Amino acid sequence: MSSPSDVPSVKLPGGHMPMVGFGTWKLRGRAARDAVLAALAAGYRHLDTATMYANEAEVGQALGDSGLARSDVFVTTKIRASDASRAPQVLRASLRSLGTDYLDLWLIHWPPRGAESPRLWNDLLQARADGYVRDVGVSNYSLSQLDDLIASCGQAPAVNQIDWGPTRYDPAVLSGHADRGIAVEGYSPLKNTNLRDPVLRRIAAEHAVTPAQVVLRWHLEHDITVIPKSAKPDRIAANLDLFGFALTPEQMAAIDGLAGR
Ligand SMILES: NC(=O)c1ccc[n+]([C@@H]2O[C@H](COP(=O)([O-])OP(=O)(O)OC[C@H]3O[C@@H](n4cnc5c(N)ncnc54)[C@H](OP(=O)(O)O)[C@@H]3O)[C@@H](O)[C@H]2O)c1
Protein backbone atom coordinates (compact mmCIF):
# COMPACT_ATOMS: atom_id res chain seq x y z
CA MET A 1 0.00 0.00 0.00
CA SER A 2 1.36 3.42 -0.92
CA SER A 3 0.72 6.73 0.69
CA PRO A 4 0.29 9.88 -1.41
CA SER A 5 3.60 11.18 -0.05
CA ASP A 6 5.45 8.23 -1.67
CA VAL A 7 4.45 9.43 -5.15
CA PRO A 8 6.92 11.84 -6.74
CA SER A 9 5.60 14.78 -8.72
CA VAL A 10 6.63 16.76 -11.77
CA LYS A 11 6.93 20.51 -11.42
CA LEU A 12 4.74 22.25 -13.98
CA PRO A 13 4.53 26.04 -14.41
CA GLY A 14 1.29 26.20 -12.38
CA GLY A 15 1.70 23.40 -9.85
CA HIS A 16 2.90 19.87 -9.17
CA MET A 17 1.58 16.83 -11.03
CA PRO A 18 1.77 13.50 -9.13
CA MET A 19 3.59 11.04 -11.38
CA VAL A 20 1.03 8.27 -10.91
CA GLY A 21 -2.53 9.18 -11.79
CA PHE A 22 -5.73 7.20 -12.10
CA GLY A 23 -7.00 6.72 -15.67
CA THR A 24 -10.76 6.62 -16.12
CA TRP A 25 -11.40 5.84 -19.79
CA LYS A 26 -14.23 3.29 -20.22
CA LEU A 27 -15.35 3.70 -16.59
CA ARG A 28 -18.96 4.90 -16.64
CA GLY A 29 -21.76 5.49 -14.17
CA ARG A 30 -21.64 3.76 -10.79
CA ALA A 31 -18.52 1.80 -11.76
CA ALA A 32 -16.68 5.05 -12.47
CA ARG A 33 -17.65 6.57 -9.14
CA ASP A 34 -16.70 3.40 -7.23
CA ALA A 35 -13.36 3.03 -9.01
CA VAL A 36 -12.39 6.67 -8.46
CA LEU A 37 -13.36 6.40 -4.80
CA ALA A 38 -11.23 3.23 -4.50
CA ALA A 39 -8.33 5.04 -6.18
CA LEU A 40 -8.54 7.99 -3.83
CA ALA A 41 -8.77 5.62 -0.84
CA ALA A 42 -5.70 3.74 -2.14
CA GLY A 43 -3.72 6.99 -2.20
CA TYR A 44 -4.00 8.32 -5.76
CA ARG A 45 -4.09 12.12 -5.84
CA HIS A 46 -4.25 12.57 -9.61
CA LEU A 47 -7.33 11.81 -11.72
CA ASP A 48 -7.43 11.72 -15.51
CA THR A 49 -10.72 12.17 -17.33
CA ALA A 50 -11.96 13.76 -20.58
CA THR A 51 -15.16 15.18 -22.00
CA MET A 52 -15.11 12.21 -24.37
CA TYR A 53 -15.19 9.67 -21.51
CA ALA A 54 -18.66 10.90 -20.43
CA ASN A 55 -17.75 10.36 -16.78
CA GLU A 56 -16.74 13.80 -15.52
CA ALA A 57 -19.82 13.94 -13.29
CA GLU A 58 -18.99 10.58 -11.67
CA VAL A 59 -15.35 11.60 -11.21
CA GLY A 60 -16.54 14.83 -9.58
CA GLN A 61 -19.00 12.95 -7.40
CA ALA A 62 -16.29 10.60 -6.14
CA LEU A 63 -14.00 13.54 -5.49
CA GLY A 64 -16.72 15.18 -3.41
CA ASP A 65 -17.67 11.94 -1.63
CA SER A 66 -14.04 11.18 -0.77
CA GLY A 67 -13.95 13.99 1.78
CA LEU A 68 -10.57 15.10 0.42
CA ALA A 69 -9.89 18.78 -0.06
CA ARG A 70 -10.07 19.82 -3.71
CA SER A 71 -6.54 21.18 -3.42
CA ASP A 72 -5.22 17.72 -2.47
CA VAL A 73 -6.16 16.16 -5.80
CA PHE A 74 -4.71 16.97 -9.23
CA VAL A 75 -7.56 16.91 -11.77
CA THR A 76 -7.04 16.67 -15.53
CA THR A 77 -9.69 16.77 -18.21
CA LYS A 78 -9.49 17.11 -21.99
CA ILE A 79 -11.37 18.90 -24.73
CA ARG A 80 -12.18 17.12 -27.98
CA ALA A 81 -10.88 18.55 -31.24
CA SER A 82 -14.48 18.53 -32.48
CA ASP A 83 -15.36 21.02 -29.70
CA ALA A 84 -12.64 23.46 -30.80
CA SER A 85 -15.13 26.17 -31.80
CA ARG A 86 -16.79 26.28 -28.36
CA ALA A 87 -13.99 25.88 -25.85
CA PRO A 88 -15.29 28.33 -23.19
CA GLN A 89 -18.68 26.55 -23.03
CA VAL A 90 -17.01 23.13 -22.86
CA LEU A 91 -14.75 24.31 -20.04
CA ARG A 92 -17.76 25.61 -18.09
CA ALA A 93 -19.54 22.29 -18.55
CA SER A 94 -16.44 20.31 -17.45
CA LEU A 95 -16.04 22.44 -14.32
CA ARG A 96 -19.72 22.05 -13.49
CA SER A 97 -19.66 18.27 -13.97
CA LEU A 98 -16.47 17.88 -11.96
CA GLY A 99 -17.90 20.10 -9.20
CA THR A 100 -14.87 22.36 -9.12
CA ASP A 101 -14.02 25.94 -10.01
CA TYR A 102 -10.64 25.12 -11.53
CA LEU A 103 -8.73 22.37 -13.33
CA ASP A 104 -5.14 21.47 -12.55
CA LEU A 105 -4.55 20.51 -16.17
CA TRP A 106 -6.63 21.00 -19.32
CA LEU A 107 -5.51 19.14 -22.43
CA ILE A 108 -6.39 19.24 -26.13
CA HIS A 109 -7.34 15.57 -26.56
CA TRP A 110 -6.19 15.16 -30.19
CA PRO A 111 -4.65 17.75 -32.52
CA PRO A 112 -7.37 19.59 -34.45
CA ARG A 113 -6.71 20.14 -38.13
CA GLY A 114 -4.71 23.07 -39.50
CA ALA A 115 -5.40 26.55 -38.13
CA GLU A 116 -7.87 25.18 -35.57
CA SER A 117 -5.00 23.85 -33.46
CA PRO A 118 -3.38 27.25 -32.60
CA ARG A 119 -6.87 28.81 -32.24
CA LEU A 120 -7.90 26.23 -29.67
CA TRP A 121 -4.50 26.49 -27.98
CA ASN A 122 -5.12 30.22 -27.54
CA ASP A 123 -8.46 29.44 -25.88
CA LEU A 124 -6.65 27.16 -23.42
CA LEU A 125 -4.05 29.87 -22.70
CA GLN A 126 -6.90 32.33 -22.10
CA ALA A 127 -8.57 29.92 -19.66
CA ARG A 128 -5.29 29.70 -17.78
CA ALA A 129 -4.93 33.51 -17.76
CA ASP A 130 -8.51 33.77 -16.44
CA GLY A 131 -7.63 31.44 -13.53
CA TYR A 132 -9.87 28.51 -14.50
CA VAL A 133 -6.95 26.24 -15.26
CA ARG A 134 -3.55 25.94 -13.53
CA ASP A 135 -1.73 24.31 -16.47
CA VAL A 136 -2.52 23.62 -20.09
CA GLY A 137 -1.23 20.95 -22.40
CA VAL A 138 -1.98 18.64 -25.28
CA SER A 139 -2.33 14.96 -26.06
CA ASN A 140 -1.37 12.85 -29.05
CA TYR A 141 0.85 15.57 -30.55
CA SER A 142 4.01 14.63 -32.48
CA LEU A 143 7.19 16.65 -31.92
CA SER A 144 6.59 18.53 -35.18
CA GLN A 145 3.01 19.33 -34.17
CA LEU A 146 4.36 20.61 -30.85
CA ASP A 147 6.79 22.82 -32.75
CA ASP A 148 3.98 24.24 -34.90
CA LEU A 149 1.99 25.07 -31.77
CA ILE A 150 4.96 26.71 -30.06
CA ALA A 151 5.74 28.70 -33.22
CA SER A 152 2.13 29.97 -33.32
CA CYS A 153 2.33 31.76 -29.97
CA GLY A 154 5.69 31.13 -28.31
CA GLN A 155 4.20 29.13 -25.45
CA ALA A 156 4.89 25.44 -25.06
CA PRO A 157 2.33 23.05 -23.55
CA ALA A 158 3.24 21.96 -20.02
CA VAL A 159 2.41 18.33 -20.83
CA ASN A 160 1.94 16.03 -23.83
CA GLN A 161 -0.10 12.92 -22.97
CA ILE A 162 0.87 10.16 -25.38
CA ASP A 163 0.53 6.43 -25.89
CA TRP A 164 3.57 4.96 -24.14
CA GLY A 165 4.96 1.68 -22.93
CA PRO A 166 7.95 -0.61 -23.42
CA THR A 167 7.13 -1.47 -27.04
CA ARG A 168 6.86 2.25 -27.89
CA TYR A 169 10.08 3.23 -26.15
CA ASP A 170 11.97 5.81 -28.24
CA PRO A 171 14.67 7.86 -26.54
CA ALA A 172 14.48 10.52 -29.30
CA VAL A 173 10.85 11.21 -28.39
CA LEU A 174 11.76 11.58 -24.71
CA SER A 175 14.73 13.86 -25.35
CA GLY A 176 12.63 15.88 -27.83
CA HIS A 177 10.11 16.60 -25.07
CA ALA A 178 12.85 17.34 -22.52
CA ASP A 179 14.51 19.78 -24.95
CA ARG A 180 11.22 21.63 -25.29
CA GLY A 181 10.53 21.61 -21.54
CA ILE A 182 7.39 19.48 -21.98
CA ALA A 183 6.53 16.76 -19.45
CA VAL A 184 5.58 13.39 -20.95
CA GLU A 185 2.54 11.64 -19.56
CA GLY A 186 2.09 8.07 -20.80
CA TYR A 187 -1.32 6.52 -21.43
CA SER A 188 -2.37 2.88 -21.96
CA PRO A 189 0.77 1.63 -20.16
CA LEU A 190 -0.68 -1.84 -19.49
CA LYS A 191 -3.24 -2.37 -22.23
CA ASN A 192 -0.64 -1.98 -24.95
CA THR A 193 1.97 -4.15 -23.21
CA ASN A 194 2.27 -7.94 -23.27
CA LEU A 195 2.34 -8.57 -19.54
CA ARG A 196 3.34 -12.19 -20.23
CA ASP A 197 6.56 -11.16 -21.92
CA PRO A 198 9.40 -13.31 -20.47
CA VAL A 199 11.58 -10.23 -19.87
CA LEU A 200 8.87 -8.58 -17.76
CA ARG A 201 8.11 -11.84 -15.95
CA ARG A 202 11.77 -12.43 -15.14
CA ILE A 203 12.22 -8.90 -13.73
CA ALA A 204 8.94 -9.11 -11.81
CA ALA A 205 10.10 -12.37 -10.19
CA GLU A 206 13.43 -10.76 -9.24
CA HIS A 207 11.54 -8.12 -7.24
CA ALA A 208 8.57 -10.27 -6.14
CA VAL A 209 6.17 -7.86 -7.86
CA THR A 210 3.89 -8.23 -10.91
CA PRO A 211 4.82 -7.50 -14.54
CA ALA A 212 2.29 -4.62 -14.44
CA GLN A 213 4.17 -3.05 -11.52
CA VAL A 214 7.45 -3.45 -13.40
CA VAL A 215 6.01 -1.63 -16.42
CA LEU A 216 4.65 1.22 -14.30
CA ARG A 217 7.92 1.55 -12.36
CA TRP A 218 9.82 1.62 -15.69
CA HIS A 219 7.79 4.68 -16.70
CA LEU A 220 8.65 6.49 -13.48
CA GLU A 221 12.35 5.74 -13.83
CA HIS A 222 12.21 7.33 -17.28
CA ASP A 223 10.56 10.40 -15.68
CA ILE A 224 7.26 9.66 -17.37
CA THR A 225 4.01 10.26 -15.52
CA VAL A 226 1.73 7.25 -15.84
CA ILE A 227 -2.04 6.92 -15.50
CA PRO A 228 -3.16 3.26 -15.29
CA LYS A 229 -6.86 2.47 -15.22
CA SER A 230 -8.51 -0.43 -13.46
CA ALA A 231 -12.02 -1.16 -12.25
CA LYS A 232 -10.71 -3.67 -9.68
CA PRO A 233 -9.78 -2.41 -6.18
CA ASP A 234 -6.85 -4.86 -5.78
CA ARG A 235 -5.32 -3.81 -9.10
CA ILE A 236 -6.03 -0.13 -8.38
CA ALA A 237 -3.99 -0.42 -5.18
CA ALA A 238 -1.22 -2.56 -6.73
CA ASN A 239 -0.79 -0.11 -9.63
CA LEU A 240 0.18 2.58 -7.11
CA ASP A 241 2.37 0.29 -5.01
CA LEU A 242 5.55 1.06 -6.92
CA PHE A 243 7.86 2.48 -4.30
CA GLY A 244 9.22 -0.59 -2.51
CA PHE A 245 11.59 -1.54 -5.34
CA ALA A 246 13.78 0.05 -8.00
CA LEU A 247 14.87 -1.29 -11.38
CA THR A 248 18.57 -1.83 -12.01
CA PRO A 249 20.26 -0.33 -15.09
CA GLU A 250 20.37 -3.85 -16.60
CA GLN A 251 16.62 -4.29 -16.02
CA MET A 252 15.85 -0.84 -17.48
CA ALA A 253 17.92 -1.65 -20.58
CA ALA A 254 16.19 -5.03 -20.97
CA ILE A 255 12.75 -3.35 -20.87
CA ASP A 256 13.89 -0.58 -23.24
CA GLY A 257 14.93 -3.43 -25.57
CA LEU A 258 11.27 -4.49 -25.97
CA ALA A 259 10.75 -1.45 -28.25
CA GLY A 260 9.16 -2.33 -31.54
CA ARG A 261 8.07 -5.83 -30.44
N1 LIG B 1 -5.16 10.99 -24.29
C1 LIG B 1 -5.62 9.93 -24.90
O1 LIG B 1 -5.88 9.91 -26.12
C2 LIG B 1 -5.82 8.67 -24.10
C3 LIG B 1 -6.04 7.45 -24.76
C4 LIG B 1 -6.18 6.30 -23.98
C5 LIG B 1 -6.14 6.39 -22.59
N2 LIG B 1 -5.96 7.61 -21.98
C6 LIG B 1 -5.93 7.73 -20.50
O2 LIG B 1 -4.97 6.81 -19.98
C7 LIG B 1 -5.62 5.93 -19.06
C8 LIG B 1 -4.94 4.58 -19.08
O3 LIG B 1 -5.01 3.99 -20.36
P1 LIG B 1 -6.03 2.79 -20.71
O4 LIG B 1 -7.22 2.83 -19.83
O5 LIG B 1 -6.24 2.89 -22.18
O6 LIG B 1 -5.17 1.50 -20.48
P2 LIG B 1 -4.33 0.87 -19.25
O7 LIG B 1 -4.51 1.65 -18.03
O8 LIG B 1 -2.97 0.62 -19.78
O9 LIG B 1 -4.98 -0.55 -19.14
C9 LIG B 1 -6.27 -0.74 -18.66
C10 LIG B 1 -6.56 -2.22 -18.84
O10 LIG B 1 -5.59 -2.99 -18.10
C11 LIG B 1 -6.25 -3.76 -17.11
N3 LIG B 1 -5.41 -3.69 -15.91
C12 LIG B 1 -5.30 -2.66 -15.02
N4 LIG B 1 -4.41 -2.94 -14.05
C13 LIG B 1 -3.93 -4.19 -14.33
C14 LIG B 1 -2.98 -5.02 -13.69
N5 LIG B 1 -2.37 -4.63 -12.57
N6 LIG B 1 -2.72 -6.22 -14.24
C15 LIG B 1 -3.34 -6.62 -15.37
N7 LIG B 1 -4.25 -5.87 -16.03
C16 LIG B 1 -4.55 -4.65 -15.51
C17 LIG B 1 -7.61 -3.13 -16.92
O11 LIG B 1 -8.56 -4.10 -16.60
P3 LIG B 1 -9.49 -3.98 -15.26
O12 LIG B 1 -10.15 -2.64 -15.30
O13 LIG B 1 -10.41 -5.13 -15.40
O14 LIG B 1 -8.52 -4.12 -14.12
C18 LIG B 1 -7.89 -2.57 -18.32
O15 LIG B 1 -8.40 -3.60 -19.16
C19 LIG B 1 -7.07 5.92 -19.55
O16 LIG B 1 -7.93 5.36 -18.61
C20 LIG B 1 -7.27 7.39 -19.84
O17 LIG B 1 -7.46 8.10 -18.63
C21 LIG B 1 -5.78 8.74 -22.71
Side-chain angles (χ1 to χ4, degrees), residues 22-25 48-49 53 78 109-110 139-140 161 186-192 195 210 212 227-232 235 238-239:
F22 185 63
T24 66
W25 187 28
D48 183 84
T49 180
Y53 303 167
K78 315 182 191 83
H109 204 147
W110 285 87
S139 179
N140 298 301
Q161 188 181 109
Y187 70 69
S188 303
L190 304 174
K191 194 169 67 186
N192 293 340
L195 297 174
T210 65
I227 47 172
K229 167 265 172 187
S230 177
K232 300 187 169 68
R235 286 181 173 174
N239 292 346

Side-chain angles (χ1 to χ4, degrees), residues 3 6 15 37 63 70 75 86 103 119 127 130 170-171 175 185 200 207 212 214 217 225 227 251 259 261:
S3 97
D6 293 331
L37 263 179
L63 189 55
R70 168 67 187 87
V75 177
R86 45 185 217 100
L103 301 174
R119 260 205 303 274
D130 292 342
D170 180 348
S175 61
E185 188 178 8
L200 298 175
H207 291 287
V214 168
R217 178 78 204 186
T225 296
I227 47 172
Q251 291 168 338
R261 292 214 341 226

Side-chain angles (χ1 to χ4, degrees), residues 40-62:
L40 293 170
Y44 291 77
R45 293 294 180 266
H46 170 174
L47 304 174
D48 183 84
T49 180
T51 308
M52 195 198 93
Y53 303 167
N55 63 13
E56 288 173 317
E58 289 78 9
V59 171
Q61 200 190 352

Side-chain angles (χ1 to χ4, degrees), residues 94-149:
S94 287
L95 292 173
R96 206 170 34 246
S97 297
L98 285 161
T100 180
D101 53 9
Y102 73 95
L103 301 174
D104 293 280
L105 182 61
W106 197 26
L107 303 178
I108 300 177
H109 204 147
W110 285 87
R113 257 183 252 141
E116 280 214 316
S117 188
R119 260 205 303 274
L120 177 55
W121 182 232
N122 272 311
D123 285 338
L124 266 71
L125 293 173
Q126 188 59 50
R128 188 185 62 183
D130 292 342
Y132 294 116
V133 177
R134 299 266 159 94
D135 278 294
V136 287
V138 296
S139 179
N140 298 301
Y141 275 60
S142 66
L143 290 175
S144 73
Q145 287 169 322
L146 290 171
D147 285 337
D148 290 345
L149 207 59

